[in-house]
Structure formats: C-alpha cells, structure tokens
Amino acid sequence: MIIDMHGHTNAPPSLYAYKSRLLASRGAHGKGAPNISEEAMAAQVKNHLENNLDKVGTDVQFLSPRPFQLMHSEKPERIVHWFAEACNNAIATSVKLAPTRYRGVAGLPQCSGVPIQNTFDEIDRCINDLGFVGIMINPDPYEGSGTPTPGMGDEYWFPLYEKMIQMDIPALIHSASCKDPWDTYSNYFITTETRTIISMVSSRTFDTFPNLKIIVSHGGGAVPYQIGRYRAFFGRHFAETGGFDVELKKFYFDSVLYNVEGLDLLYRIVGTDRCMFGTENPGTGTYKDPKTGKMLDDLKPEIESISWMTDQDRKNVFEDVTRKVFPRFKD
Amino acid sequence: MIIDMHGHTNAPPSLYAYKSRLLASRGAHGKGAPNISEEAMAAQVKNHLENNLDKVGTDVQFLSPRPFQLMHSEKPERIVHWFAEACNNAIATSVKLAPTRYRGVAGLPQCSGVPIQNTFDEIDRCINDLGFVGIMINPDPYEGSGTPTPGMGDEYWFPLYEKMIQMDIPALIHSASCKDPWDTYSNYFITTETRTIISMVSSRTFDTFPNLKIIVSHGGGAVPYQIGRYRAFFGRHFAETGGFDVELKKFYFDSVLYNVEGLDLLYRIVGTDRCMFGTENPGTGTYKDPKTGKMLDDLKPEIESISWMTDQDRKNVFEDVTRKVFPRFKD
Amino acid sequence: MIIDMHGHTNAPPSLYAYKSRLLASRGAHGKGAPNISEEAMAAQVKNHLENNLDKVGTDVQFLSPRPFQLMHSEKPERIVHWFAEACNNAIATSVKLAPTRYRGVAGLPQCSGVPIQNTFDEIDRCINDLGFVGIMINPDPYEGSGTPTPGMGDEYWFPLYEKMIQMDIPALIHSASCKDPWDTYSNYFITTETRTIISMVSSRTFDTFPNLKIIVSHGGGAVPYQIGRYRAFFGRHFAETGGFDVELKKFYFDSVLYNVEGLDLLYRIVGTDRCMFGTENPGTGTYKDPKTGKMLDDLKPEIESISWMTDQDRKNVFEDVTRKVFPRFKD
Amino acid sequence: MIIDMHGHTNAPPSLYAYKSRLLASRGAHGKGAPNISEEAMAAQVKNHLENNLDKVGTDVQFLSPRPFQLMHSEKPERIVHWFAEACNNAIATSVKLAPTRYRGVAGLPQCSGVPIQNTFDEIDRCINDLGFVGIMINPDPYEGSGTPTPGMGDEYWFPLYEKMIQMDIPALIHSASCKDPWDTYSNYFITTETRTIISMVSSRTFDTFPNLKIIVSHGGGAVPYQIGRYRAFFGRHFAETGGFDVELKKFYFDSVLYNVEGLDLLYRIVGTDRCMFGTENPGTGTYKDPKTGKMLDDLKPEIESISWMTDQDRKNVFEDVTRKVFPRFKD
Amino acid sequence: MIIDMHGHTNAPPSLYAYKSRLLASRGAHGKGAPNISEEAMAAQVKNHLENNLDKVGTDVQFLSPRPFQLMHSEKPERIVHWFAEACNNAIATSVKLAPTRYRGVAGLPQCSGVPIQNTFDEIDRCINDLGFVGIMINPDPYEGSGTPTPGMGDEYWFPLYEKMIQMDIPALIHSASCKDPWDTYSNYFITTETRTIISMVSSRTFDTFPNLKIIVSHGGGAVPYQIGRYRAFFGRHFAETGGFDVELKKFYFDSVLYNVEGLDLLYRIVGTDRCMFGTENPGTGTYKDPKTGKMLDDLKPEIESISWMTDQDRKNVFEDVTRKVFPRFKD
Amino acid sequence: MIIDMHGHTNAPPSLYAYKSRLLASRGAHGKGAPNISEEAMAAQVKNHLENNLDKVGTDVQFLSPRPFQLMHSEKPERIVHWFAEACNNAIATSVKLAPTRYRGVAGLPQCSGVPIQNTFDEIDRCINDLGFVGIMINPDPYEGSGTPTPGMGDEYWFPLYEKMIQMDIPALIHSASCKDPWDTYSNYFITTETRTIISMVSSRTFDTFPNLKIIVSHGGGAVPYQIGRYRAFFGRHFAETGGFDVELKKFYFDSVLYNVEGLDLLYRIVGTDRCMFGTENPGTGTYKDPKTGKMLDDLKPEIESISWMTDQDRKNVFEDVTRKVFPRFKD
C-alpha cells in the first residue's frame, strides 16, 4: 500500500474567500461559514483522486490544511480559530466523500503570544469527533514577523507534547506564512524545520518525552545535508550518549524533497525506518520538469530508483513507518 | 433616472481566494491572477441586476471595490497593488457585461507609509483605459493599526488632489478594514469620515483646491448630527468667512444612512444640492427589518417620504448632483 | 425644575497652574496643593451663577471636572490622582458655596495601563465624603496616543460596573484629551462615545449588569444619526431579542448637541425617557451664533421649540430622567 | 554692582493655566493667549523686587523662563512654541515694568526630533525685538523620556552655535523637565550639565567655535568635584594641548550651588574669571535652613565668606564676568 | 594599616577573550571556561603587588570585577552569569595567591528585566565558598540603553537588601557599561551614583532597612558638591527628622575622586566616619599628571595633605571605617 | 596543490580581550590597540602550521576573521570598524610570518543600518595595502536581532558588487553572530546562506552583475539538498532561461560540510567546477568522531573517497576553481 502522509486540503475558492472575509471584518460579523457547496466539494475530490492520486498510484493520502494559508499571526485570535476549523471541516468532508482514500491531519488554531493550550479544543474535536489521525504544528505562529517564538524545545510546548502522548498522536512540523520582507514562506519552511530539530536536540526534549512523535517535513530542512556540522557541535556535549546521530534518529521525516539525490542522502543519514512517503501533491512540487517531462512531486519512481534500498526499505517508506507513527490510521 | 453612486464589486469567491493566496504567499508566487471565469461573472451580474437593482428601481449603479477587503495595511506593497487591480478589473468586467447599468469607481492601491503618488498608475489605468468615472480614497491606509495617517488636510494628499482636479474626477471617502482590536471596520468608517471633514476644514484645504470634489460616505459620518459642536469650535476661527456651515457645504455627501431620520437631518443641514443617492446595495444595509419587513437599503421610498422635499430636491439627490460631480458619467 | 446635568468645574487659573506644576515636576515636589483662595473661588461661583445659570434659567447644574484637562495618559500615576482630587475638591467647594445650585460628579483618576480599581478610593471619597451624585468615565485613558484601551464592554471595566451598581451611581461617558496628531479632543469625544455604545452592545454588557446606568455624552456620538447602520449590523445577531434599538435604549443620553435638528433626531430615536438636559455651559457651545445672535449652548428654548414633544417629554428631559438616574440627587 | 544672571520668570498662575490649556487641547483651539492682567503682573514684579532682590542686595537679575515648565518633549510642536513665546513675553513685561532691575534671557521653543533651526525665529524676536541679552539651551528636549538627544558636541547644534556667535549672545545650559520615572528634573539638571561639558570637550567643539560662549548652570554639574576623573580620562588624549583643565576653562559657570564648600571648590578649580553670580531666587534654593535660619539662595554672604578670594575675585563673580559674557547687557 | 577597598580584577587577556567568546556564541557552546593559566595569573599578581600596591604603600586591596566589563544588559542571562562567575573566580585566585594582600568583593550576575533574586546563588558562592567580604551592585543593569531600571529605593531591590543584612555584607554601588550613544561609561558612574542616593533618600529606604550598608563609589557622584540643592529639595519634606544631611550620612563613600579639593569637600560634608580609602589602582586614575609628575590615583599623600584632618580622621579613612563596614574582613 | 580557502584568524587572546574592551568602553577610550605581542603571534602561527595545516596536507590556507566574533550589530559604528581592522591586521601578520602558507580574506566592518559604502575604506586597505585576495560578506549585520536586513539581491548591496567587480575580488558569504534567543550562530550560517541564494536568484542579480563572484559557505546552506523545491518554485518563472539550476551554477561553493554524503550531493548538484576546498580548520569541525577516530574537518580523504570523481574533479576542488575565483592569489 502507498500512503502519502503529506497532502493538503483541496477546497473550492469559497474556503479562501471565507478567510479573506474574516481578515477584512476582523471577526466583526461573527463566525459565519465558508459556504462550500456539496457539489463543489465533490467535484474537487473527484478531480483530485483522478488526477493526483490515481495517476501516481497513491492509495491513501493524509490531508492537512494548506499551511501557508493558516494566518497564525493574525488577530484577533478568534478569526484564526474559525479559519482553522473551516479548513479541518473541509478535510473532514473530503474524508467522508472518499473514506478509503483520505485521512485527516488537524491544522491547529495556533496564535502568536497565547498559550498553546488554546488549541486543545480543536485537537479534541478533530481527533475525537472527526476521526483525524494526527496534527500539524507550526513552530512559528508569529510567521517570521520579527518576534521570536520559543524554540520547539522550550517549555512553552510541553503541554502540547503531553497531550500528544496521552492521545497517541504524532505531529507534522510545518510552518505557515512568512512576513519577513526578505524571505519567502517556502524557504522559511526549511529554516523552521532545521531550527525545530536543533532546538529539541539542544534541550534534550526526548529525554523528557521519550514517546513523543515528531515528523519533520521536507526531509528535515537542512539537517541531514549539514549533519557534519551538528555532529561536531553537539558531539562535544552528547558524546557519552551517542552523539547527534542518536538524537536525530528520535525524529521522523517525510520525503517531500523532490530530488532523488536529496532522498538518497536522507535515507542514508537517518535510515528508512524513520522516513515516510509524502508528496504534497498537488503543491509546490506539482511542476513538470521541462527537461525530463516528469512531475517533480511524482516521487515514487524516484524512490524506487535508489538501487541500494531493499524491499523492506521501500516498504518502510511507503507504508510501515506511517502505520507505526499514526496508530489511529486503520485500513 | 435613479443613479446609485455607492455600490461595490460583485464578484465570485475566486476574487477573494486570490487575495487570500496573495496574503499567504506575500507575493512570492508573483502576480498570478484571480482566475474568475466568464460564466461566474455573468451569473453574478445577472443576479445582481435582477435582485438588487431592478427590484428597487435603480437605473445605474457605480461600483467600487468592497472597501473592507482592500488590505491597504498589508505588506509588501506589490500585493496591495495586485489585489486593487484585480478588484478594478472585476468592476470593469461588470461594466462591460451591463454597460447601461454600471459605472466604475476605482479602488486605489494605497499603502501605509509610502507616497500617495504610488497610486497614480492605477488611477490612470482605471480612468483612461477602463473608462471609470471617479476614485475612492481610504483616509487611513494603516487601517486603524495604531500608526497615525496624515489627516486629509495634510500636504501628504496634495499631489492626489492636484491629479483629481487635473483629470476632473471626484473621490469617495471610504476607509477599509480596521485592525484596532476594540473597534469594527463598519464603525471606523464613521470615525474616519468625521475626521476627514474636520481635518480638511481645519486646514482650509478648499482654499488651496477650490475645485476639489470630495464625497463623504455614509452621510458625512457624525458631522451633520453634531454640527452644533463644530459650528462653535470653528466659528471662533472662521466667523468672518461664514463659519463652519459654509465650509461643510464644500463637501458632497451620499445617502448611505439607512434611516429616514438621518436622511432628513442630512438634507436639512447640508442641502440637497450637496447630496447623492447611494445604497451600497447589497451591503451592510441589506437587512430586512423584522418589524417593517422592509430592506434597510431600499432608500428610495424613504427619501420620497420626506414631505418637505421638493421635486427638485429629490432630483438633486437621485440624479442631478451625481451628474454634476461625476462629469465623466455619460448616459 | 431645570437640571443641567453636564457642567464642568469653574475654577480660577491656580487649579491649572497646579496641574502645570505637577507635569513639570512629575510629582517630585510631592502632592502640594493648588492654592485656590476662597475669594477667587467665591468670585468664580458668583459669576457663573449670574452669567451662566441664571441667564438661561437653569436651577441646578451638575459639575464634573473639565474632561480635556484630566491628563489620564500622563505618568507617574500619582500626579493624575493628585490633579483629579484637586478638581473634585474645587467642585466640592462650589457645591458648598451654592448648595442649592450645584451637585458634584466625580472625575476619576484613571491611568492608562493600570487596573480600574485604582480609582475606587477617589470614588468613595467623592460619593461618601463629598456627597457627589455620580461619576464620569473616560473610555480611553491612553488619550488617543496609539495604544488601544479595552472597549467599554471588556472585563477590564467590570469591577467598576459592580461598584457603580453597589453604590447606585450612574456614570457619564466622556473622554479627556487626544494626543493623536491628526485629531482633536473635541472630535475624539464623539468617536469614543460611539465606540462605547458599540462595544457595550456587542458584548451584551447589560445582560451581565442590567442595573448599570451609563449616560453617553453629546447625544450618543454618531449612533442615533447612523442608527440604520447599526440596526443592520446587529440585527443579524440580536433579532430575537428585539435588535439594536432595544439595546440602545438601555443607555441614557444627554442633550449636549447644540443644534435643534440633532436634538429632534435624538429624542425621536431613543425616546425622551432616556434623555437628560445638559449644556456644558460654559464650554464648547458657549459661542454666539453670528446669524441668530443666540448662544449655542442655550438649549432650553431649542428643546421647547420641538413641536411634537409633549409636556411630559420636556419634563422627562429637564428633570425626571435625571432624578431617576441620579437617586443621590435630592432637593 | 551685583548682577544675578540666573533668575526665572515670575508670573501669575494664568501663565501656567495657559500651558495647561495648550496641553489639554493640543493646540486645537489655536494659539490663544495666557490672559495675564497688567495688575497681576505688576503685583508680581513689585513683590519680587521687594522680597527677593532688595532683601539680598541684588541690583539686576536676568530672567529666563522656568526651565522645568518648558515642556519641550510635548507635541505638536506649535504648542511648545506658543508657550515659549508666552514665557518670553512675560519676561519682557517684567523688564518693561522695572527696566533697571531686569534683563531677559530667552527660553527656546526646542522640540524633540526637529532641527534646532526651528528656534531661530524666536531667538530673533527675543534678541532683536524684545531686547533680551542671551538665550537658554536645554541639552535634552526629549526630557529624559528614553530617546537619546545628540550630545552638545554633535553637529546637530552647530547651526545654533553659529547663530550665537553671529549675534554675539551667550547661552545658559539648563535642562527642562525629566520624564524618567526614576529620576527628578532637579537631579537631571546636574546630569545634563555634566554631559554637556563632557560631550563638548570630547568633540573639541571650541576648536570649531572658539568664540562660543556657553554657561553651565549649577556650578557645572558634577564636573569640578569629579575633575580628577576627567583629567585622567581626557589627559591621555589632550595632554599636548594642556589637558582637561584647559578645555574646562573654555566654559563659563554660574554659582547656583547653595553651599559654600561647593562654591569654594568651583572657584578654585575653574577660576573666578569663568564664574558668575546667580541664585535662581526665588527657586529651588529658596529654603530656610532650620539650623542657621539663613535662606540657602542668599549666596552673596557665602561668597564673601571665602577668605582666599580677592576683591577682584569677588568683582569677577558679582559683575565683571557677566558683563563680559553678556555684551548686550548695558546699564 | 592602609586598606584600599576599591580595586578591580587583575587578570590576563584570556578572561576577556572568554567574555568575547560568550558574546559571539551567545552561550551556544555551553559554559566553557576562560582557561587562565596559573603562570599567567601569578605573573599578574606579582606585577600588581609590586607596581601598584607596594609602590604606594597599600597593605590590602579589595578586588571586585572590572565593572564596565560586566555586560549586564546582554542576553541570554546565562552568559552574564558565566562571565560574572569567571571574574569572581579570577579574584578568588588572586586572593589565594596573596592572601594577606587581597580580599574579594563579588560582582553580581545582574540581568536587565529579571528578579534580583537570580543573583543570590552567586552571592552565596562568593561569600560562603570563596570567602569574599562584600558585593558590588550595578544600579542600572540595562546599562543606559534606554529602558529605565527601578531606582535603588524601589521594592525591586528589597530582597537583596534583606539578604545583605542577613549575611552582614555591605555593597559597593558601581554601574557597568553605558550604551547611550551620547554618554560614556565613566561619566555614567557619576550619574548613577547620584541617582542611587537621591532614590534611596526619597524612598526613605533606610527607614525600612536601618542596618543596610551601602557604599557609594567615587565620592558619592555629584551629591556632596551639589548638597545645597538637595538640602533645599528634601528639607521641605524631611525637616522634622534632620533634613538631607542626616539622610546622606546613612551612606558610606569611597575616596576615588583623584583630586584633593574633591576629597576635602567630601570629608567636610559627610565626615570622615563615613569614608573609606579606595583608589581603583590600576584604573581610570592611573595617569601621570604631566605638570606634577604624580599618579592621579596615588591618593594617600593627597589625603595626608589635608591639614584640618586629625589622626583619627585619617585612620577612619585608611582603616577603621572599612573594618567596621566589612565585618567579614579579618586580618 | 591543496588550497583551503576557508580558514579563520588564529590569534592570541589579546585580540578578543581588545574586542571585550571596545564593547565595555563603547569606544570611549579611543581606538587603542589589541597589543598582540610578536612572540604570541609567532607561536600561534607555528602551532597552527604544524598541527592544523601540515598534519592534513594543506599547502595554503586563506584566512578571514572569525565570523561569529565580528559584532556587526553593535554600536557605535566605530568600534565595529576598529575591531575589523584589528582582525585583518592579525591576519596580515600571519601572512607576513608565513607568506607561502597564508593569504588574507578581509572581514568587513559592516554595521546594521548604515550604507555598505562605509566598508570601502577597509576593503581598499586590505586589498591594496595588505595584499588580501578577497572579502567576506555578512548577509545580516543585524545578527538575527529582529530587524530585517535587505536581502542580498536588494539594491542596498549594489555599490559593493560594483566595487568587487571593479577590483576583481570575490566574496565569501558568511554571517556573524546570532542574537535570536532561540537560534544559534552556527545554525544561522545555514539559514543566511540559503537566503542569500534565494534572494539573489529571485532578483536576478547576476543579470545585472554577470561578473560578480559570490562564494556561498558551507556548501550552500540548505539549497543543494532541497533543490527540488527551488526547481519547482523558480521553474515557473525562469523556465525559458534554463530554470533554477542555471541560476544556481552562477554561485561558487565551498566544501565546509564535514560529511561525505553532503559533499557527494553538492558536487553532483552544482558540479565540481563551482566548488572549492575549505575546512575552517581549526573551527566547528575540529572534532574527533568517537566512532571513527577521525577529525571531522579532515575533508581531503573524504573528498578523495568519492569514487565517481575524476582527477580533474578533484583538481577543480583542491586548486583550480580557487585559483580562477581568486585571481589575486599568486604562488
């Protein structure tokens, strides 16, 4: 079975027109609703299944909200909550329309400058009521606007980690938009993923939460490629416990890298038993390489082309690790 | 002829999903386009003509962008420009689809903290290329976020006033969103309209620009109702030139007040020769009063119910003043 | 009996020289005193009675501190307290000098950024020791300097509301100075009054405090004139309970409008049973209209000229509502 | 002849009530006037001459505005100008009422964050029209509110220095209020005087403006007492030109120290040929020492008690240096 | 015996290279160590004893960290702690190498914006483990960077005062660096010492903590020289208890003034029973006066040259007061 | 010949004690000097040659200042200049002591918030007077303190690019310290290198400056590993000109990656003709892997172990590309 654990909401424009209205009114009209028609939603799902999943042979895709749309740095807090709910609802509808093909991963209504516990009601709703299988965490709800967010190894996040362990749900690390005028949201993903790993390793977060399951998107940012630097940096402190590699292998990683050299390096460095198949299809990588004519996010053939990987390595990536990390995923 | 000079874009959700995408990407994907289909647009126009204009007997409506959507305080500047253009384009399409029923009033790509001249290219495009008949000015592109914008009587605005006079176009004063956590955009309209009048009167702007045509939305904010206060306040300074009333009558006003007592007071205070019919239909006032069963924005019967008004008074409001102020409006 | 419930301190320049000294020293000299001589005070009172009250037929005037002088945004907090006390003391002296003609309304030593409870000692002193009949609240102790003050519907104010109910005293809503470089204090009164109503209606404050008595100065800011807008805006949410009009009629209003059209509209919209006579004489309206030769704040004849008002309507305004709202006022 | 070159405005409370009104209105009422009656002013002058000057044997006193009242950090700029003008006018009236006993020293309408040239019109008015003999400079128009003002050796001040030399007028260094919550204006005088000397010495300002005449109030702040520290600090850099003492003796100093040990030290360190008699009577020092029964600001006997001083030393202090530094002072 | 109670660490460059590394890494490398070799340290001590203490006849010097190096305003807090510990350790090494000649005074790891209690562990370590005899307090851990630190009379400092009394240790008041671009650290010492006295006198801190022992460096800043000003300012408030002089004599002072006129004034004003010998040798005053050829910090001959001082006066300064204030100092 | 183009100053602690002193005094003592003795310097060089270069077979190393020490965000600007000069001088001394083994790469005295031209004098001095062969640019002189620095594709940098081309010198991109409390300087290197590439590609900087030579440290940050993401992101815009790969190959890269998988990926993605040998020995990578017993920065054997590389590939990396990019390097 091919499980693509990194996909995002497919929804008609009404969902984002709703967001636009929330931002324009700053919530003055009350919660309202995105008014997504059933037909529009069904058309989206049908199209997505046919043109994105079936074409590349994906059996199941996990859907989380489009991260860069989540507007975590906007105020007042209620509009962030309302929009996160609307996104999660749209995902729930997709799952309902094609229950064998989708699973939900909850986007959190994170807000800059407030306790992480404010997201718990929506986690409960998504996991318990909507049947979602995991959550997605934005390591910087300030969205690169200049105020530093506590690192992922800081106590700010501990109540969330406790809740994740208690509910046995993993989290996908994925930042949202980026308001730094000299950066882009897409590049900021990589920065924040790298920082997440470094912060959690520095703070020895897994010593406190050994059962915590953190999946770092996009192949772990810059870390596997730059691992020599971190081996040296942390080796001095953690030599006795096995060094940086031991710590790094406490994280999980997806395969949203879009180039075979990167995937090859990732699997060599962290091992296939920490990696999961993910494509974000359709998303950033939905681009046809003019030279090869292939879609960059059609990653299955790329993975299959890595000659040193065993069948179990591939099964790890395509199915086993995901099943292990997401115990709420049942066929 | 009944001319409603205060209407806003009717557009399918795609327009606002486009805005949402610009905000999420902060322009990193380039300009792109809202992808509004011709069918969607035609359906909108048809529906609007039938259910909004025809029902209440409006012959022509002037369309400007939905003000609260214009996101003037967002950065980088280019996404503000792109969205303003998209809104103006949607209006141009409406006008093209129903050329006898609509005219365009350009939304400006105003940005907080930059010269007003940055809007001039879009003014030229709208007036010269798209055939629009006026513009809409937001007196606070910071959108209530705490940094004070120069008052409308300040030199900051003078290049725009010169351009308006040179092109013989009037401007509708209408603020956008409001980020003050304790206010609402709708209420902020009234605040900024009041402040516009006070700032321009204080600075004696019309002494410098006697041919400037400024239309204050929503019946002039609080000014006509509170006129005694301003008569006293300014009377001490301007007594020799006729006092506050003389200054006030250099502005124009629309009738977007939604209650007959307010309209009555407005016409008494400023005279029907400074007032124009406007409804914002559909908009804030599109609400059926549960007691009367009437739509609040169906203002024509309200105006016709004011017994002291002469036929010419009514013609002033419904047609003549608008024709005079908008010379680019031709049948 | 004609009761003018909106008058302000008459005091010799020494009171304001005291304020000036507090600001210059920032309290470094200790509390000190304004050193108002008894003769100076007696002369002020005599002059005020003769030239302001007697001339227009006012029997009793309620005196509160000159709002725009209260310097609530200044620091340190103690100088704000000292000056508020001095103002209230000057009022107490007036009342003592002419006990049948004056009553005191306490100015509060509100300070930006501190709990509202810090004003309670002064409230107790004024009501219990000095025999005042009510208080005056500034909805924005930041005085328009850019930091948003919690809206009047926010919990920040609840301890004060509880205290008011417990002591059975009403509050006059009246802002102080305005430091926004593009606004004026006089205009900011209107803005903050409007916002007070909108904030309290939005938060349904009167559901929590049904016995709270709030008097909105200057005829309610912009609200009665713009009521159509708010009927539509709130009607969607409160339709079941009677809509915006029902909520609006939970407030009280004064008549400091200075023009008969405004008064007429106010009484029609909210009813004379929510309105009180007030003139702020001498104050903003103490201006002789060059055309009519009448003082703008001589409002009694204006009110008497509204033909549709019954005797009871006028008695409501001139006496009955004030008596009802200020139970501590006894002849 | 005894010339006391450091006195401040004596004015009735109306002057400060005017300031209070300017702050309350932020200039919204226009310039207005302090409305000081001639009688009040004459009474002040008479009282001051009798009880302050005659009693201690002062022949002539130079009057500058009360520094701590000058509100240089307030906005908008126009209210700072208006109040400085009013203070200077009050001084001019004193001089007019007692032309043999007073001379004027102009307070400058300095404003934080604007060019020093904005004060030039008022300098011209005071020197040329009102016949004043010098000016008073506040080294920190931000009044200790946290934003650093360029040091007195910085180019910011050079246009003023050029003007002073061109008009042949000296300046008294004297800060105004202090908004630092943990300091007092009175103590801040000393801090800013010390910093003025250090900044100008560090920048070698007198190399650029050898004819500049700067009088440091209150005996030069902390510098004469701490001179060892500065001799060491600057000696390393300026040894070749004579060290810190040579630089220090390019300044002038007044005698507003209120204790004989301080005066003794001052005259020893800087020499009597750089020192002038000043008392600020009435002011800070107008305090009767409970042990001695003497007024602290009665400095003449104190100076006369310093046994090592020659007649010429005393004449330097009481008359000659002041005559030399203020060439516009004529009998 | 000559006890110089104001000396600072002598350490090889490695100590400051360590600081530089902490600032560069912001603590990312962990605590590390300054790696000061024993030989380097011994050479420093030998040289200091021979060339600084022996030459001028000092028997014992108390060493505290070089204040301007303490970087209290830097973040994160841990690097401030680590460097303070390293400085104190270097002092402890000096004391160990020459136990009859040195004593330690602990530099505190003060950090801007955190409770003063965060320094307690280091106080305990220095006093209890390293045998130090007192502590040094920086009144402004923000180091002049614009945010005001609570005055020394504020409750912020009370826990420290309680601890000092409980442990019977005195504190030397001495600020660190100064980030104000228009000031210097050396001058800021004087400013903050002056402010310390004024703040504690204003707050009557010694009423609450009568046994608190505070030593103000550099002869008390500007206070003794400007005492007339403070006598007047505080006399009005404290006359009944003896006035400012009584309050001032609750502090102790050192003699780091570098000029005999200043010392003479200091001893006259506060009495020799509140003064201690201190030189900061080597430090700011280690400068040879080109005229006299004497080192400015060779203060013993200067003090001995003051003719009015008795033998006991000199013994007070050179030995007795220090012994009394530092009871943990034993021969 | 083996040329290691990425080494940093070796200097005795005095250099950093000098920095520490500059920060403590904020320049108040003047420029001063680090006082590095010739012996200390010679010992450093001898040790470095023997233990770092000779041991691993490096023939020549290019030395630039230790980046994380450069304190570009500190104020005032002059201390940043003085320290950069001292670092460059220390490098010049090394080169002088071992002219066949070292070359200098100038650290720039970049300061946050000032024009890049302020660094030109030091560039001239280093290249023309000291014979250095290139420069090092910090893309973020604010050092991660929250204020965004213009991206490397912004016009802010153009004068520097013009100067580099005119002088025919390349620049090594390398950030300095990082003040973000949740990041580390070492990790921030990677972030800023990635952003440099993205900014310059987005702005098409090489279209304007085709001869500009930019070397991105540490193997290009995250870019080669994440190249699929950027191919997709930029492919849409630059497809016609060859896409992201063509743009990426306009940069040069060093080999400071410390793990063979990373080096392998780098050479595959960008080609050996854009890569240079660099080790930063001694530096971050000077760490002995406990498992292998090898030093992580001994990269030559790692590179030689990549089996697919040809002799020319290795010669490219070890010598040819460096010679081509640094034309001022002569044997």
Side-chain angles (χ1 to χ4, degrees), chain F residues 84-239:
Chain F
E85 290 175 37
C87 289
N88 290 328
N89 288 345
I91 290 169
T93 304
S94 290
V95 177
K96 205 172 158 194
L97 287 167
T100 61
R101 307 300 298 279
Y102 294 126
R103 287 299 181 282
V105 169
L108 302 191
Q110 290 178 250
C111 286
S112 51
V114 304
I116 194 64
Q117 287 91 327
N118 292 13
T119 64
F120 285 7
D121 284 353
E122 182 63 4
I123 296 177
D124 288 340
R125 191 180 78 95
C126 289
I127 302 294
N128 297 333
D129 302 353
L130 304 182
F132 283 21
V133 299
I135 61 173
M136 180 167 70
I137 296 174
N138 172 6
D140 178 20
Y142 282 101
E143 300 191 300
S145 57
T147 306
T149 299
M152 294 296 295
D154 188 74
E155 295 187 357
Y156 172 83
W157 302 96
F158 286 8
L160 177 58
Y161 297 161
E162 282 161 12
K163 186 170 185 62
M164 285 168 59
I165 292 166
Q166 187 190 343
M167 298 181 82
D168 199 8
I169 46 173
L172 182 67
I173 299 300
H174 203 308
S175 67
S177 187
C178 179
K179 287 180 166 173
D180 184 314
W182 306 104
D183 207 349
T184 67
Y185 76 91
S186 175
N187 196 42
Y188 198 55
F189 292 167
I190 308 310
T191 299
T192 50
E193 289 149 11
T194 306
R195 288 176 66 160
T196 293
I197 295 172
I198 300 311
S199 175
M200 295 183 77
V201 168
S202 304
S203 306
R204 303 297 298 259
T205 310
F206 290 107
D207 286 5
T208 311
F209 300 103
N211 298 319
L212 182 66
K213 290 185 286 190
I214 295 290
I215 308 159
V216 188
S217 293
H218 311 112
V223 173
Y225 176 59
Q226 293 281 352
I227 192 166
R229 156 171 304 274
Y230 303 111
R231 279 173 180 152
F233 198 84
F234 289 99
R236 295 172 176 95
H237 305 294
F238 301 154

Side-chain angles (χ1 to χ4, degrees), chain E residues 8-286:
Chain E
H8 298 307
T9 337
N10 263 306
S14 314
L15 178 62
Y16 303 105
Y18 173 63
K19 170 184 163 181
S20 186
R21 212 154 59 233
L22 289 177
L23 284 169
S25 69
R26 296 284 150 185
H29 292 168
K31 190 174 183 175
N35 301 323
I36 305 177
S37 71
E38 284 186 33
E39 307 90 284
M41 201 66 204
Q44 286 275 346
V45 163
K46 183 161 175 291
N47 174 66
H48 182 240
L49 289 175
E50 285 174 11
N51 291 308
N52 298 86
L53 300 201
D54 295 346
K55 243 185 206 159
V56 298
T58 294
D59 295 299
V60 182
Q61 197 184 46
F62 291 2
L63 302 175
S64 50
R66 292 253 155 229
F68 83 148
Q69 289 275 13
L70 281 170
M71 66 174 193
H72 287 152
S73 64
E74 298 293 337
K75 298 286 172 197
E77 191 177 0
R78 63 181 178 278
I79 63 172
V80 179
H81 278 259
W82 294 341
F83 183 62
E85 291 175 35
C87 289
N88 290 327
N89 288 345
I91 290 168
T93 304
S94 290
V95 178
K96 205 172 159 194
L97 288 168
T100 61
R101 307 298 300 278
Y102 293 126
R103 286 300 179 282
V105 170
L108 303 190
Q110 291 178 250
C111 285
S112 51
V114 304
I116 194 64
Q117 287 91 327
N118 292 13
T119 65
F120 286 7
D121 284 353
E122 181 63 4
I123 295 178
D124 289 338
R125 190 181 77 95
C126 289
I127 303 296
N128 297 334
D129 303 351
L130 304 183
F132 283 21
V133 299
I135 61 172
M136 180 168 69
I137 297 175
N138 172 8
D140 179 19
Y142 282 100
E143 299 190 303
S145 57
T147 305
T149 298
M152 293 296 295
D154 188 75
E155 296 187 357
Y156 172 83
W157 302 96
F158 286 8
L160 176 59
Y161 297 160
E162 283 162 11
K163 184 169 187 64
M164 285 168 59
I165 291 166
Q166 186 191 343
M167 298 180 83
D168 200 8
I169 47 173
L172 182 67
I173 300 299
H174 203 308
S175 68
S177 187
C178 179
K179 288 182 165 173
D180 184 314
W182 305 104
D183 207 348
T184 67
Y185 76 92
S186 175
N187 195 43
Y188 198 55
F189 292 167
I190 309 309
T191 299
T192 50
E193 288 148 13
T194 306
R195 289 175 67 160
T196 293
I197 295 172
I198 300 312
S199 175
M200 294 182 77
V201 169
S202 304
S203 307
R204 304 296 300 257
T205 310
F206 290 107
D207 287 4
T208 311
F209 300 102
N211 298 318
L212 183 65
K213 290 185 285 190
I214 295 289
I215 308 159
V216 188
S217 294
H218 313 112
V223 173
Y225 176 59
Q226 294 280 352
I227 191 166
R229 155 170 306 272
Y230 303 111
R231 280 174 180 152
F233 199 85
F234 289 99
R236 295 172 177 95
H237 306 294
F238 302 153
E240 75 291 349
T241 59
F244 184 72
D245 287 74
V246 167
E247 296 302 316
L248 186 64
K249 287 181 184 176
K250 294 175 179 168
F251 294 87
Y252 295 91
F253 303 86
D254 71 18
S255 66
V256 186
L257 279 167
Y258 305 135
N259 65 316
V260 72
E261 295 89 347
L263 290 168
D264 185 310
L265 185 144
L266 173 66
Y267 299 147
R268 284 180 195 270
I269 296 289
V270 304
T272 58
D273 57 329
R274 306 306 287 184
C275 294
M276 308 175 199
F277 184 65
T279 67
E280 203 201 323
N281 179 348
T284 298
T286 310

